[in-house]
Amino acid sequence: AVRPNTKAFLVESPANPLDVPYEQAARYEAAVNAARAAAGLGPIGVGFPGLSATSPIPSEAPGEVRLRQAWGIAVDAKGHVYVADTDNHRVVKYGRGLEPLATWGTFGRADGQLQLPWAITVADDAVYVADWGNHRIQKFTTDGRFLGKWGELRYNELGGAFAPTEIATTRSGEIVVHAGSVYRFSSSGSLIAR
């Protein structure tokens, strides 16, 4: 026999947690994190088990950047260096002499926010970030302004296994991503091949 509270839970819960609409998961996550904040705790990533923002926000002097587990690096045609600063959930842009010029991104799921960015590439005047924890690619200007994204936390449109770990560009401007399989996208995020 099933206990009444268990039965109610089974009726209300989807068979697969990935079937929960992103907006519903985001509202639930926001409520959980509000309660955690009231208790003096840091936020967690409910939608992707095991992710959390418990890592400290970097304490840096002006002009100083401390990288933490930086996994990806790319160089643009002007010699600027872009680093996927993985554990700080951000991108760091350096000048030709490796002086820090800009940082962008914070922990989260909103546009422009990142969760463990693993890889980065530059094409023309756009920076593409493999946002591993959010199961998406984000596109920015070379100064960090958000331009677009594809994939998402609910990534069923890409076969359900899209967690990008590598990213590169072709001479024709297409974006090639490894995320369990190899994917080829247009610069606007349209899937070309898989």
Side-chain angles (χ1 to χ4, degrees):
V2 175
R3 294 188 317 243
N5 61 347
T6 305
K7 184 176 180 181
F9 175 77
L10 293 174
V11 170
E12 294 173 9
S13 299
N16 180 354
L18 292 178
D19 291 335
V20 175
Y22 177 74
E23 293 77 20
Q24 183 180 347
R27 284 193 306 272
Y28 175 75
E29 182 177 287
V32 168
N33 285 331
R36 288 180 60 85
L41 300 171
I44 60 170
V46 173
F48 193 83
L51 275 184
S52 70
T54 57
S55 55
I57 296 172
S59 172
E60 301 162 339
E64 177 187 42
V65 172
R66 293 182 186 159
L67 301 174
R68 293 181 54 231
Q69 296 294 323
W71 287 99
I73 191 166
V75 181
D76 69 15
K78 297 175 184 172
H80 297 119
V81 177
Y82 300 83
V83 177
D85 189 4
T86 305
D87 280 1
N88 284 327
H89 312 286
R90 67 181 180 183
V91 171
V92 179
K93 178 182 179 180
Y94 293 95
R96 294 177 55 89
L98 296 181
E99 69 281 2
L101 298 178
T103 63
W104 65 85
T106 59
F107 177 85
R109 291 202 175 92
D111 294 349
Q113 291 185 318
L114 302 164
Q115 285 192 35
L116 303 172
W118 276 29
I120 193 164
T121 192
V122 182
D124 299 321
D125 288 328
V127 177
Y128 299 86
V129 179
D131 187 4
W132 179 82
N134 285 320
H135 300 277
R136 66 185 176 189
I137 302 300
Q138 291 201 65
K139 180 179 179 180
F140 299 91
T141 64
T142 56
D143 291 324
R145 188 172 48 87
F146 174 80
L147 294 174
K149 63 185 176 187
W150 62 89
E152 277 299 335
L153 184 62
R154 305 298 181 228
Y155 45 88
N156 295 330
E157 73 212 42
L158 298 172
F162 192 74
T165 57
E166 299 294 334
I167 189 167
T169 53
T170 65
R171 289 184 185 167
S172 63
E174 295 172 342
I175 310 303
V176 180
V177 177
H178 179 265
S181 297
V182 177
Y183 299 80
R184 185 181 292 258
F185 297 96
S186 70
S187 61
S188 63
S190 298
L191 182 63
I192 296 170
R194 179 176 114 179

